[in-house]
Amino acid sequence: MKPSVNTTVILTNLRKDDKVSVQSLAKAISEWRVLNDSVASCLARDTAGFSHSYPFAAYREIKDSIHIELCRMAMSRQRSYRDLFYLREQTSPYAHDEELHQTMKEVQPFFASLDSLPVYNKSGKQAVLNHYRLFLQKSVKRGIHGKEDLRAFIMEEHRHFKAFLQYLPDFADSNIADITRNTEQCCVQILRAADHKVIGSAASPVEELSHKDAMIYLAMRTNLRLLRNAQAAVEDLKSGKVKSEKVLHAYLLMMVQPFMSMDDLSVSVLSEKDKSDYNKLADALPKETDNLARQLHMDKKRTADLPMLMMKIYITRL
């Protein structure tokens, strides 16, 4: 089998484009993803998996050339964080997954309610940190066995996380490796609960947690945490709470983390409010990163080019 003529046509057309809009770039990437999936599937069936055979080798060469052209198009203009977010949203393979979106809509009211929960804030910052640690230790020991446990964990965790964010500059130099480790362990337990059926009883039934539900809940939880973390970082910088050079470096990472960490699933389960928050953050970042670059004696162009670099990384992984 010869490589699809359509791939050569796409490559030829891409080479004609110069200084393209982000809308045109998103359309080109979406078309390429659809075609790439189709041709790769066809080649896999037709050649019995011989990756060294002519069709695979020829197609791999065309694919590399298309990636080069898409990267060139991405770098043909200065790109913003809004552009990056738009590109990721529009080119996600889940963008038109109606089943996913329906599940997300059913789950969204739960996540929308989390920010209205009261915050643990008694006895100062050390007590906040101690309560957070104790909650996670108990959660790991108790385990997460079904959907009800999952929702209870996310709700309680968010209350502690909100309290933690109030003292974010103070905790920037603290050793919180145990919090990170126990949080990761809780997420592992969530995925294990989705992979194993839990048998309840008539008196104490357990609502099973499907793998799909687990992934959606975890993606939406991570979205919320990254956004709130970045928003808190922006506010702390505006208020002048952060002075240490080491902490300023950490804050730069926290502000751009939502854009660095987004994957196809996470960007597809964002609510309209989440998307609005992303765009507000995107609008705030140029000024804040510019200020940080000046304070940290960094090259301002390098920080300004971060959205373009993230676009390029995304495209090379398609």
Side-chain angles (χ1 to χ4, degrees):
M1 170 186 172
K2 294 182 179 180
S4 171
V5 175
N6 287 337
T7 58
T8 305
V9 172
I10 281 186
L11 180 57
T12 301
N13 290 336
L14 291 178
R15 285 172 172 162
K16 297 177 183 177
D17 290 327
D18 189 30
K19 294 186 177 180
V20 299
S21 67
V22 69
Q23 290 81 8
S24 297
L25 179 59
K27 182 180 179 182
I29 290 174
S30 295
E31 292 175 350
W32 163 238
R33 291 193 84 154
V34 171
L35 181 60
N36 182 46
D37 289 344
S38 299
V39 176
S41 176
C42 186
L43 284 172
R45 291 195 307 270
D46 203 52
T47 63
F50 293 111
S51 60
H52 61 278
S53 64
Y54 167 73
F56 268 105
Y59 184 62
R60 190 160 51 241
E61 183 176 343
I62 293 175
K63 182 177 179 179
D64 290 344
S65 296
I66 288 175
H67 279 162
I68 290 171
E69 289 305 313
L70 288 173
C71 286
R72 178 192 61 77
M73 292 165 66
M75 307 293 280
S76 67
R77 287 187 180 184
Q78 190 68 34
R79 306 296 183 182
S80 67
Y81 286 97
R82 264 189 181 257
D83 291 336
L84 175 62
F85 178 62
Y86 175 87
L87 185 76
R88 294 303 309 269
E89 181 186 10
Q90 296 298 313
T91 59
S92 169
Y94 300 109
H96 304 292
D97 188 328
E98 293 300 327
E99 183 180 355
L100 174 68
H101 292 162
Q102 181 58 40
T103 303
M104 184 270 286
K105 289 178 182 178
E106 293 170 0
V107 174
Q108 184 53 43
F110 167 75
F111 281 92
S113 70
L114 296 181
D115 283 331
S116 62
L117 294 172
V119 178
Y120 290 121
N121 192 22
K122 295 181 179 180
S123 305
K125 61 183 181 182
Q126 193 56 50
V128 164
L129 196 59
N130 290 340
H131 288 150
Y132 197 178
R133 284 183 163 128
L134 183 60
F135 159 70
L136 289 172
Q137 290 168 5
K138 288 182 177 179
S139 296
V140 170
K141 186 176 181 179
R142 182 170 54 246
I144 298 171
H145 307 290
K147 189 179 290 187
E148 184 177 344
D149 286 349
L150 168 61
R151 290 165 67 93
F153 167 77
I154 291 175
M155 183 178 294
E156 191 73 1
E157 180 198 37
H158 192 69
R159 296 177 69 182
H160 289 285
F161 181 65
K162 285 173 64 180
F164 178 87
L165 289 181
Q166 293 180 114
Y167 299 102
L168 190 57
D170 299 314
F171 293 144
D173 286 327
S174 302
N175 183 356
I176 56 171
D178 59 322
I179 289 180
T180 302
R181 182 177 61 254
N182 285 330
T183 299
E184 290 174 350
Q185 185 59 38
C186 288
C187 292
V188 169
Q189 289 184 355
I190 292 168
L191 293 174
R192 285 176 178 168
D195 289 334
H196 297 87
K197 289 187 177 182
V198 180
I199 301 175
S201 65
S204 181
V206 175
E207 185 178 1
E208 284 188 12
L209 179 66
S210 70
H211 187 76
K212 181 187 73 172
D213 285 342
M215 295 303 296
I216 291 175
Y217 270 94
L218 285 174
M220 295 176 75
R221 166 198 167 274
T222 301
N223 285 341
L224 182 61
R225 286 173 66 91
L226 290 176
L227 276 169
R228 296 297 175 265
N229 204 43
Q231 290 167 334
V234 170
E235 291 305 314
D236 286 348
L237 290 171
K238 286 181 178 179
S239 63
K241 291 182 179 179
V242 187
K243 305 295 182 183
S244 161
E245 182 174 318
K246 180 180 178 182
V247 177
L248 287 173
H249 277 289
Y251 266 59
L252 175 59
L253 178 60
M254 283 189 283
M255 288 192 299
V256 302
Q257 193 70 38
F259 300 91
M260 292 175 60
S261 299
M262 68 172 70
D263 58 24
D264 291 331
L265 177 60
S266 65
V267 79
S268 297
V269 295
L270 291 168
S271 68
E272 291 305 314
K273 184 181 184 306
D274 293 334
K275 293 175 185 178
S276 176
D277 286 343
Y278 252 103
N279 283 319
K280 287 177 183 177
L281 177 61
D283 292 340
L285 279 181
K287 180 179 179 180
E288 297 305 324
T289 55
D290 190 62
N291 289 337
L292 278 178
R294 184 176 63 254
Q295 294 178 69
L296 296 171
H297 309 291
M298 297 170 62
D299 184 346
K300 289 184 180 181
K301 188 175 187 314
R302 290 183 66 183
T303 56
D305 287 346
L306 279 174
M308 297 172 67
L309 176 60
M310 291 183 213
M311 271 194 190
K312 185 175 181 180
I313 293 171
Y314 169 58
I315 291 169
T316 56
R317 291 175 176 174
L318 290 173

